[in-house]
Amino acid sequence: MKHMHDTQHMPRPPARDWTIIAVMALLAALVAASFASLPLKWRDFFTLDAVNSAAELLAGFAPPETATPFLVKTAWATLETMSMSALGTLLAVVAGLALALPASGRLGQAPRAGVRALLNVLRSIPELVWASILLIAAGLGPFGGTLALAAHTAGVLGRLFADALENAPPGPEATLRTNGTSAAAAFLYATLPQTLPQMLSYTLYRWENNIRAAAILGVVGAGGLGQMLKYHLSLFQMQQAATVIIAMLVLVALVDAISYALRRALTR
C-alpha cells in the first residue's frame, strides 16, 4: 500500500521532456519513412557481378602515376587548391564579421532580421551552385571557385559569429559604457575578446571544410585538384587519377593537422 501511495504522488515529467520525446519520435518516424520510400537495392550491391566490377575498377588505379612532370603538375594543382580554400575562407571571415554586427541585433531588430535573411540565402546555396553561377561571370579557373567558397562560407560564419556576439555576456561591455567608453571601444575591448577564441575555432573548422569543397569545385571548372581529377577520370586514365586522389588525401590530412594544432594552441 505504501508503494502504491508513493507511486500516485510521483511528480509528472515536465513539459520539456514531453517535447523532447515528441521530437525524437518524429525523427524516428522520418528515418523509417525514408528507408521505406527510397528504392534501396541492398541485394544488388552485394552480388558477385558488383564485387567483380568494383575490384576491376580499383585494380585500374594501381600503380599511381609517378612520372616527375606529372608529379610537378599535381603539386601545383595542390597549391592552387590550398590557395583557393585559404583565400576563400579569409574573404568569408571579413564578410562574416561585417554581417555579424547587424545580424547580432546591435543595430536594431529590423537590420537583424534583414541581414539574417541574407545569411540564410548565402549558406543555403551549395558551393557547387555558387561556382556554377560565378564561373559564368568570372570565367573558368580558381577565381570563380574562390568566390564561390567565400559566398557560401560567409553565410555560415556570419550566422555563427552573430550567435556568438549575441550570446556573449553583456556585463563587461555595459561596465565600460557606464564609465564613459564609446560603443566601438567597449565592443573592441570587452565583447570581441570574449568571442574571439570561438570565432577562430569556427574559422579553422570552416577552412577544413573548404579544403574538401575546393577539391570538388574543380569538377565544374574551378581549377585545382578537382579539375585534374575530372579530366583524367573522363579519359579513364586511372593511374593519373590515383595520384590526384592521393594528393587530395595528403592535403586534407595536412590541413586537419594544422587546424588541430592551432585549435589546441588557442584553447590553452
Side-chain angles (χ1 to χ4, degrees), residues 77-90 127 145-146 149-150 152-153 203-219 222-227 229 244-259:
T78 302
L79 290 176
E80 190 173 71
T81 300
M82 171 78 84
S83 301
M84 286 172 56
S85 66
L87 183 56
T89 304
L90 180 61
E127 295 96 332
T146 302
L149 290 174
H152 177 79
T153 308
T203 300
L204 292 173
Y205 176 70
R206 287 305 308 180
W207 183 36
E208 295 176 25
N209 291 339
N210 284 343
I211 281 288
R212 301 170 179 85
I216 299 300
L217 290 183
V219 174
L225 290 172
Q227 189 165 338
L229 181 62
V244 176
I245 293 173
I246 292 173
M248 287 182 176
L249 295 175
V250 171
L251 179 61
V252 169
L254 178 63
V255 171
D256 284 350
I258 294 173
S259 178

Side-chain angles (χ1 to χ4, degrees), residues 40-268:
L40 300 176
K41 300 180 181 179
W42 295 104
R43 185 176 300 176
D44 296 343
F45 184 75
F46 293 102
T47 61
L48 185 60
D49 291 339
V51 173
N52 290 334
S53 298
E56 183 179 355
L57 176 64
L58 293 175
F61 286 103
E65 179 62 56
T66 57
T68 301
F70 187 78
L71 292 179
V72 172
K73 183 180 178 181
T74 304
W76 280 110
T78 302
L79 290 176
E80 190 173 71
T81 300
M82 171 78 84
S83 301
M84 286 172 56
S85 66
L87 183 56
T89 304
L90 180 61
L91 294 174
V93 169
V94 175
L97 281 172
L99 295 173
L101 291 175
S104 62
R106 303 183 71 87
L107 303 180
Q109 290 303 311
R112 179 184 185 275
V115 174
R116 281 186 175 259
L118 174 61
L119 294 175
N120 288 338
V121 172
L122 290 175
R123 72 173 186 273
S124 297
I125 301 176
E127 295 96 332
L128 278 174
V129 178
W130 275 119
S132 301
I133 297 171
L134 292 171
L135 286 175
I136 297 174
L140 296 177
F143 181 58
T146 302
L147 294 180
L149 290 174
H152 177 79
T153 308
V156 176
L157 290 181
R159 173 61 186 272
L160 293 174
F161 291 171
D163 289 345
L165 292 174
E166 207 167 26
N167 296 327
E173 183 175 351
T175 301
L176 291 179
R177 292 298 305 276
T178 302
N179 293 328
T181 307
S182 64
F187 171 77
L188 292 175
Y189 287 100
T191 302
L192 188 59
Q194 294 181 83
T195 58
L196 192 58
Q198 191 175 7
M199 290 181 179
L200 290 175
S201 179
Y202 289 146
T203 300
L204 292 173
Y205 176 70
R206 287 305 308 180
W207 183 36
E208 295 176 25
N209 291 339
N210 284 343
I211 281 288
R212 301 170 179 85
I216 299 300
L217 290 183
V219 174
V220 294
L225 290 172
Q227 189 165 338
M228 283 188 67
L229 181 62
K230 179 188 177 184
Y231 174 77
H232 292 294
L233 285 178
S234 64
L235 297 178
F236 297 99
Q237 297 175 349
M238 298 304 182
Q239 294 177 340
Q240 288 83 352
T243 302
V244 176
I245 293 173
I246 292 173
M248 287 182 176
L249 295 175
V250 171
L251 179 61
V252 169
L254 178 63
V255 171
D256 284 350
I258 294 173
S259 178
Y260 175 76
L262 290 175
R263 281 200 302 267
R264 286 289 300 272
L266 291 172
T267 54
R268 285 180 180 177

